[in-house]
């Protein structure tokens, strides 16, 4: 999820890797890749299976990622489509034709605080290690974006200092520096050579220049080397990446206005925090008062290391908009070939010697649960945020603590008289599927803080919300077999044979499900609780707990069809607040002794069939 993160090995076999050592040696200062160690040590096929990343064609056929306002995915070019899983938290799909600022149905639709679709700036980035403020690595260059075309270019002209990054390119022995107190080696990367990377759709091009930092794009004969790599599913950054909570394993927190020092002068910025898969966060500062050209430019970006590198701070200066007249900036490979040069795809020549360490680089930007709360606010003139605390008819709901997790809102309280936890789970922004009916939704309990399903290979319990084409919605408890993790169709089908209505399961009581009821506004208002939107599916139940729980480790997933299959949204979260339930009724005698979350390893149905993948690409 770091600057210019490249999943270098997508599509390769473990024994047939790209011969890219020379490329990553030259571009090592720019390659900072989450999961690089996994890709390199286990090979792309095994890593892809563990991370849930499929080949591009499989993803397009099976995953059915949201396609906001674009064309049909029938072989024609699509737009506004996000990448699968955790990658979609920040990225377009690799095969996406582009992501304009007005992608219909997105929380950030037409927001003036998105990144511009076509722009460039100079960038200055400084890395700092965990525990102190000493700058240990410094780079300068320029970036160019046509996000409406899924294009990006980055030029690096200056690097100084020690780069610490798991999975970075080879480091010459004379530049390798021992990192005291760590099993990592740092690499001194001091260079003034101009290096260019261009990312167009699924392709990434690596270009080095003969004349160092000379910015002479017109004379492509100055290009020393050019090669390219197929990135498959990974596209460029979305212009609204920091505004919303689309994608998996992510969240967002709008912070409001802040004055910061920028180039030695005070500047008003609006800030957003964006949570990542590693439970760390980015902070994006956008210009608060628009510039003379009316644009709220990206100003400062704070990026976490995510365990694979050091945190760093990037400042954008000398912004300008780009037009179609600037297309040549992104097409250097074509100009080179037209002039008689070559830009070949990287060849496969053999295995790559992988790192095998499991060392993590600590970050200063870990989520602090005392400071984090979900707050999606985009300044979109179209999108409406969900109402959180409207008046409700059930007085017990008014006493519930609110936990926001991605697209879901969770209410919780504890009834000490009946010894029950009362839960209200609102799955927000749920739309009817293309085939009719609502998508399947599932909730589950993790036994600890680890975000995994089928822990230790065991079958797990699930709570499943499913609707048929007639509109009947049911809530059931069943068993998720470990074999379903490998997308085993027989195992997935077997889930249906294990389902029992939740209200009949010992330990549960007062189960209800509320769904949007079509175009009748009055009916829709009755169909949601006091903190959910009108497009919400709301699950309520009471569960036996002998004492107030300290924490409930929970998880949910949402599919793309009424039938069980691959999820489109997945989130792990914790509920830690259980105030007294006011006005709650005594549960029926059917509650019984009940289940406890510490003994129930129920996870979300099929929640990690796709799992977490590599993430942001800036």
């Amino acid at each position: 999820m770091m600057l210019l993160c490249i999943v270098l090995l997508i599509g390769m076999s473990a024994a047939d890797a790209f011969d890219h050592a020379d490329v990553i040696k030259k571009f090592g200062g720019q390659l900072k890749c989450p999961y690089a160690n996994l890709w390199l040590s286990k090979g792309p096929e095994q890593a892809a299976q563990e991370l849930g990343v499929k080949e591009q064609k499989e993803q397009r056929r099976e995953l059915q990622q949201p396609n906001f306002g674009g064309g049909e995915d029938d072989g024609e070019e699509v737009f506004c489509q996000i990448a699968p899983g955790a990658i979609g938290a920040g990225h377009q799909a690799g095969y996406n034709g582009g992501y304009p600022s007005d992608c219909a149905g997105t929380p950030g639709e037409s927001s003036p605080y998105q990144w511009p679709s076509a722009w460039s700036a100079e960038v200055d980035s400084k890395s700092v290690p965990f525990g102190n403020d000493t700058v240990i690595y410094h780079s300068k260059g320029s970036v160019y974006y046509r996000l409406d075309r899924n294009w990006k270019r980055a030029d690096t002209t200056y690097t100084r200092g020690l780069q610490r990054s798991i999975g970075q390119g080879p480091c010459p022995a004379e530049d390798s520096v021992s990192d005291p107190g760590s099993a990592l080696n740092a690499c001194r990367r001091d260079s003034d050579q101009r290096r260019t990377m261009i990312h167009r759709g699924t392709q990434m091009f690596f270009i080095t220049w003969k004349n160092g930092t000379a910015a002479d794009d017109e004379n492509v004969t100055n290009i020393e080397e050019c090669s390219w790599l197929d990135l498959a599913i990974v596209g460029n950054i979305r212009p609204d990446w920091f505004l919303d909570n689309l994608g998996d394993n992510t969240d967002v927190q709008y912070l409001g206005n802040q004055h910061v020092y920028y180039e030695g002068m005070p500047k008003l910025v609006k800030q957003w925090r964006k949570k990542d898969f590693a439970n760390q966060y980015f902070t994006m500062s956008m210009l608060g008062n628009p510039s003379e050209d009316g644009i709220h430019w990206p100003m400062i970006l704070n990026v976490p290391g995510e365990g694979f590198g050091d945190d760093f701070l990037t400042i954008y200066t000398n912004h300008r908009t780009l037009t179609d007249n600037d297309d040549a900036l992104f097409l250097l490979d074509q100009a080179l070939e037209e002039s008689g040069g070559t830009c070949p795809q990287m060849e496969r020549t053999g295995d790559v010697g992988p790192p095998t360490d499991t060392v993590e680089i600590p970050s200063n930007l870990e989520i602090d649960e005392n400071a984090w709360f979900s707050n999606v606010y985009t300044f979109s003139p179209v999108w409406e945020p969900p109402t959180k605390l409207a008046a409700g008819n059930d007085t017990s709901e008014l006493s519930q603590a609110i936990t926001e997790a991605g697209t879901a809102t969770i209410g919780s309280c504890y009834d000490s008289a009946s010894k029950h936890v009362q839960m209200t789970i609102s799955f927000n922004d749920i739309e009817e599927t293309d085939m009719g009916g609502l998508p399947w939704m599932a909730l589950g309990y993790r036994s600890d803080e680890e975000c995994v399903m089928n822990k230790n290979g065991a079958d797990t319990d699930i709570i499943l919300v499913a609707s048929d084409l007639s509109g009947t919605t049911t809530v059931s408890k069943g068993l998720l077999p470990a074999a379903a993790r490998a997308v085993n169709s027989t195992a997935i089908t077997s889930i249906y044979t294990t389902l029992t209505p939740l209200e009949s399961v010992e330990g549960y009581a007062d189960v209800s499900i509320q769904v949007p009821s079509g175009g009748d506004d009055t009916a829709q208002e009755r169909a949601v609780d006091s903190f959910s939107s009108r497009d919400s599916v709301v699950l309520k139940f009471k569960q036996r707990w002998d004492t107030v729980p300290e924490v409930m480790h929970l998880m949910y997933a949402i599919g793309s069809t009424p039938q069980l299959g691959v999820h489109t949204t997945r989130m792990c979260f914790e509920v830690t607040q259980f105030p007294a339930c006011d006005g709650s009724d005594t549960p029926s005698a059917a509650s019984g002794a009940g289940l406890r979350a510490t003994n129930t390893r129920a996870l979300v149905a099929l929640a990690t069939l796709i799992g977490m993948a590599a993430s942001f690409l800036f």
Side-chain angles (χ1 to χ4, degrees):
M1 190 184 293
M2 300 186 67
L3 184 66
L4 291 173
C5 164
I6 316 302
V7 183
L8 283 172
L9 305 176
I10 289 177
M12 305 182 328
S13 69
D16 191 22
F18 285 118
D19 182 18
H20 62 285
D22 187 55
V23 170
I24 59 178
K25 178 179 178 180
K26 294 178 179 178
F27 289 83
Q30 296 164 266
L31 301 177
K32 305 172 182 179
C33 306
Y35 295 116
N37 192 37
L38 181 62
W39 286 98
L40 291 172
S41 63
K42 295 195 175 181
E45 290 179 348
Q46 179 65 24
Q49 181 177 353
E50 293 187 20
L51 296 175
V53 178
K54 297 184 178 182
E55 289 288 340
Q56 175 182 340
K57 291 181 180 179
E58 284 189 272
Q59 288 286 4
R60 297 185 70 174
R61 182 176 64 252
E62 298 180 15
L63 190 64
Q64 298 298 308
Q65 285 297 305
N67 182 17
F68 299 101
E72 297 295 329
D73 190 6
D74 56 1
E76 298 181 3
E77 192 170 36
V78 297
F79 294 85
C80 300
Q81 192 157 8
I82 69 173
I87 310 175
H91 290 272
Q92 306 178 44
Y95 48 80
N96 195 38
Y99 202 101
S101 62
D102 59 351
C103 285
T106 60
E109 180 180 354
S110 300
S111 170
Y113 290 97
Q114 292 186 41
W115 281 10
S117 293
W119 64 289
S120 71
E122 295 178 8
V123 291
D124 189 302
S125 298
K126 295 180 179 179
S127 299
V128 291
F130 178 75
N132 68 70
D133 299 318
T134 302
V135 175
I136 63 170
Y137 185 70
H138 185 194
S139 65
K140 300 178 184 179
S142 302
V143 290
Y144 309 84
Y145 293 97
R146 283 301 303 261
L147 300 177
D148 54 346
R149 296 185 180 179
N150 204 353
W151 291 0
K152 182 209 172 170
R153 169 175 165 173
D155 285 19
T156 301
T157 56
Y158 172 97
T159 59
R160 293 290 188 276
L162 300 178
Q163 184 190 26
R164 304 192 312 158
S165 177
I166 296 173
Q168 66 174 297
C171 183
E174 63 272 18
D175 294 327
S176 181
V177 178
S178 177
D179 187 11
S182 170
L184 293 171
N185 285 326
C187 187
R188 181 169 298 281
R189 299 191 184 275
D190 296 343
S191 175
D192 294 315
Q193 184 183 19
R194 181 186 180 202
R195 299 180 300 278
T196 298
M197 291 197 291
I198 297 173
H199 185 181
R200 294 199 311 268
T202 63
Q203 294 178 299
M204 176 159 283
F205 298 86
F206 301 85
I207 296 172
T208 56
W209 299 81
K210 297 176 182 177
N211 296 329
T213 61
D216 183 12
D217 283 6
E218 298 298 325
N219 188 2
V220 292
T221 59
N222 282 334
I223 292 178
E224 183 176 51
E225 291 181 343
C226 178
S227 58
W228 68 275
L229 179 67
D230 185 358
L231 294 185
I233 59 172
V234 185
N236 280 290
I237 198 73
R238 297 189 279 117
D240 55 358
W241 67 271
F242 59 93
L243 294 175
D244 61 43
N245 55 6
L246 299 177
D248 285 359
N249 296 91
T250 189
D251 199 4
V252 70
Q253 183 183 47
Y254 170 58
L255 297 176
N257 288 347
Q258 173 91 340
H259 282 105
V260 299
Y261 273 104
Y262 175 84
E263 294 192 302
M265 296 295 292
K267 285 286 185 181
L268 181 69
V269 297
K270 288 189 182 295
Q271 292 183 322
W272 283 261
R273 286 176 173 174
K274 182 68 178 253
K275 179 180 176 294
D276 66 3
F277 67 89
N279 209 40
Q280 299 176 15
Y281 62 88
F282 298 71
T283 302
M284 184 70 245
S285 298
M286 301 293 292
L287 185 61
N289 298 313
S291 60
E292 293 181 357
D293 50 18
I295 298 176
H296 296 277
W297 291 108
M299 304 295 281
I300 304 171
L301 175 60
N302 198 185
V303 181
E306 298 181 310
F308 299 93
D310 291 304
D311 305 333
F312 64 91
L313 195 68
T314 292
I315 296 179
Y316 300 91
T317 58
N318 296 324
H319 307 77
R320 73 179 180 94
T321 55
L322 300 180
T323 68
D324 292 351
N325 294 330
D326 297 302
D327 283 1
L329 289 168
F330 304 90
L331 304 174
L332 294 179
D333 59 297
Q334 296 181 10
L336 176 64
E337 291 177 343
E338 290 173 1
S339 69
T342 60
C343 191
Q345 184 175 4
M346 293 185 187
E347 297 180 355
R348 304 166 183 255
T349 61
D351 199 8
V352 175
T356 57
D357 58 80
T358 57
V359 177
E360 285 194 7
I361 302 176
S363 170
N364 294 289
L365 302 177
E366 297 281 349
I367 292 290
D368 181 349
E369 297 298 340
N370 298 309
W372 183 272
F373 59 90
S374 299
N375 185 24
V376 181
Y377 196 79
T378 69
F379 291 90
S380 165
V382 181
W383 177 77
E384 295 183 6
T387 302
K388 297 179 182 178
L389 293 172
N393 295 324
D394 187 347
T395 57
S396 65
E397 289 178 4
L398 298 179
S399 66
Q400 290 186 343
I402 305 302
T403 301
E404 296 192 32
T407 59
T409 307
I410 299 90
S412 57
C413 62
Y414 184 75
D415 185 344
S416 58
S418 63
K419 295 186 177 181
H420 279 77
V421 167
Q422 181 171 316
M423 301 293 293
T424 303
I425 296 93
S426 176
F427 299 100
N428 302 319
D429 303 320
I430 301 298
E431 297 181 354
E432 189 174 90
T433 66
D434 292 339
M435 63 182 64
L438 297 174
W440 63 265
M441 288 152 272
L443 177 77
Y445 306 83
R446 295 174 288 134
S447 57
D448 54 33
E449 66 277 1
E450 190 174 3
C451 185
V452 297
M453 64 185 293
N454 300 105
K455 189 167 183 178
N456 299 322
D459 295 347
T460 62
D461 297 323
I462 62 171
I463 296 176
L464 178 67
V465 177
S467 64
D468 58 27
L469 298 184
S470 70
T472 302
T473 304
T474 59
V475 183
S476 306
K477 182 174 180 291
L479 188 66
L480 175 65
R485 186 182 178 92
V487 202
N488 183 296
S489 59
T490 301
I492 293 174
T493 302
S494 73
I495 295 172
Y496 288 103
T497 66
T498 69
L499 297 179
T500 301
L502 186 61
E503 64 267 21
S504 300
V505 177
E506 185 180 25
Y508 291 88
D510 296 352
V511 178
S512 68
I513 187 70
Q514 300 171 338
V515 299
S517 51
D520 185 339
D521 288 350
T522 303
Q524 282 195 324
E525 288 180 6
R526 290 198 302 266
V528 298
D529 64 78
S530 62
F531 51 78
S532 41
S533 68
R534 300 165 98 184
D535 293 327
S536 298
V537 174
V538 183
L539 169 64
K540 301 180 183 180
F541 61 86
K542 296 176 181 177
Q543 182 183 352
R544 178 79 179 188
W545 281 72
D546 292 335
T547 59
V548 181
E550 293 183 2
V551 61
M552 293 178 71
H553 302 286
L554 300 173
M555 191 176 199
Y556 73 84
I558 302 173
S560 60
T561 62
Q563 295 76 33
L564 278 171
V566 176
H567 71 274
T568 59
T569 299
R570 168 187 178 246
M571 173 70 73
C572 292
F573 63 98
E574 282 72 34
V575 176
T576 59
Q577 299 183 56
F578 300 91
C581 299
D582 295 332
S584 57
D585 297 328
T586 302
S588 64
S591 335
L595 299 173
R596 296 203 44 179
T598 52
N599 296 322
T600 304
R601 295 192 297 263
L603 299 178
V604 177
L606 307 179
T608 53
L609 291 178
I610 295 301
M612 296 189 300
S615 197
F616 296 166
L617 180 62
F618 290 102

